[in-house]
Amino acid sequence: VLAAWQRPYLNIFKHFRVEEWKRSAKEGDVATLTDTRLKGTIYRIRGSNPASSYLQLPRAGTQSLGLTGRYLYLLFRPLPRKHFLVHLDVTTEDNQVVRISFSNLFKEFKSTATWLQFPFVCEAASEGTARQGAAGAAPADVRWTCLVLDLPSILALYLTRRYSHLRGVKLCSNLLVKNLCTSDLLFEPGEEL
């Protein structure tokens, strides 16, 4: 059950004051920019090696975000012609930490008892530009995407485990990130988050 302070949704960047860098960490080429189209602050994470530049919440890997919302919303845009990587560390009801990763580096789905790796296929803004269903570097005209992950369903389906909470997030290069939220509500496209 979602704690009262996390209802109806929790804007993770705002709640943990990412821009102050006290409860979050950044490594490598991480910049705060203003996006005129989205009318707000975005974070640009870039680098030649996706693991060497990142934005991490919470700051220390020994801490936990403790966020219990069922759905994780990530509003992001991969950088054109680049690869990106996102890690989500979740804790199961029996205190097992499982890493859920998605990236356009991964060619196929892989799993172990503690790690799920999902390939992410970037869609181009104009049809015909992207290879249909193929993983790889983002196309030149890649779009903003709101990715919604049902964390309890992912754990139940792939590992037969019960979800407890979101422990940590590591957003690695190369991407632009506008927002990160958790909620027990499934928002429909077009709704304001």
Side-chain angles (χ1 to χ4, degrees), residues 24-35:
S24 58
K26 63 178 175 171
E27 186 68 44
D29 188 355
V30 179
T32 305
L33 309 171
T34 300
D35 187 290

Side-chain angles (χ1 to χ4, degrees), residues 14-187:
K14 191 177 280 187
H15 180 78
F16 291 97
R17 296 188 186 118
V18 170
E19 74 283 354
E20 294 178 8
W21 307 110
K22 291 178 185 161
R23 296 164 74 184
S24 58
K26 63 178 175 171
E27 186 68 44
D29 188 355
V30 179
T32 305
L33 309 171
T34 300
D35 187 290
T36 53
R37 239 177 112 204
L38 295 180
K39 297 178 177 48
T41 300
I42 62 169
Y43 297 91
R44 183 189 65 207
I45 308 160
R46 65 181 180 183
S48 55
N49 175 355
S52 64
S53 291
Y54 59 83
L55 187 160
Q56 176 179 295
L57 284 150
R59 184 175 189 81
T62 53
Q63 298 171 321
S64 175
L65 295 173
L67 302 177
T68 58
R70 173 178 183 157
Y71 299 101
L72 176 85
Y73 295 87
L74 174 62
L75 182 57
F76 77 107
R77 190 178 118 204
L79 292 178
R81 300 182 184 93
K82 301 285 186 184
H83 291 93
F84 74 91
L85 177 63
V86 173
H87 297 299
L88 307 170
D89 290 333
V90 298
T91 303
T92 64
E93 282 188 350
D94 56 349
N95 282 325
Q96 174 73 51
V97 176
V98 174
R99 174 160 276 187
I100 300 171
S101 301
F102 59 93
S103 174
N104 57 352
L105 279 166
F106 304 148
K107 302 285 184 233
E108 60 188 29
F109 169 75
K110 290 183 182 171
S111 71
T112 68
T114 57
W115 196 2
L116 298 172
Q117 295 180 349
F118 293 93
F120 187 88
V121 177
C122 297
E123 293 290 326
S126 59
E127 289 184 37
T129 314
R131 293 166 289 148
Q132 286 297 353
D141 59 345
V142 68
R143 336 173 208 199
W144 281 94
T145 301
C146 184
L147 180 67
V148 182
L149 298 174
D150 183 339
L151 299 174
S153 293
I154 290 170
L155 286 182
L157 181 64
Y158 293 100
L159 296 176
T160 326
R161 292 190 173 269
R162 293 179 56 88
Y163 174 73
S164 172
H165 60 274
L166 178 64
R167 179 181 168 80
V169 176
K170 193 171 190 177
L171 306 168
C172 304
S173 61
N174 288 291
L175 45 88
L176 302 172
V177 181
K178 169 69 175 143
N179 218 336
L180 191 60
C181 298
T182 57
S183 181
D184 271 347
L185 302 174
L186 180 58
F187 293 95

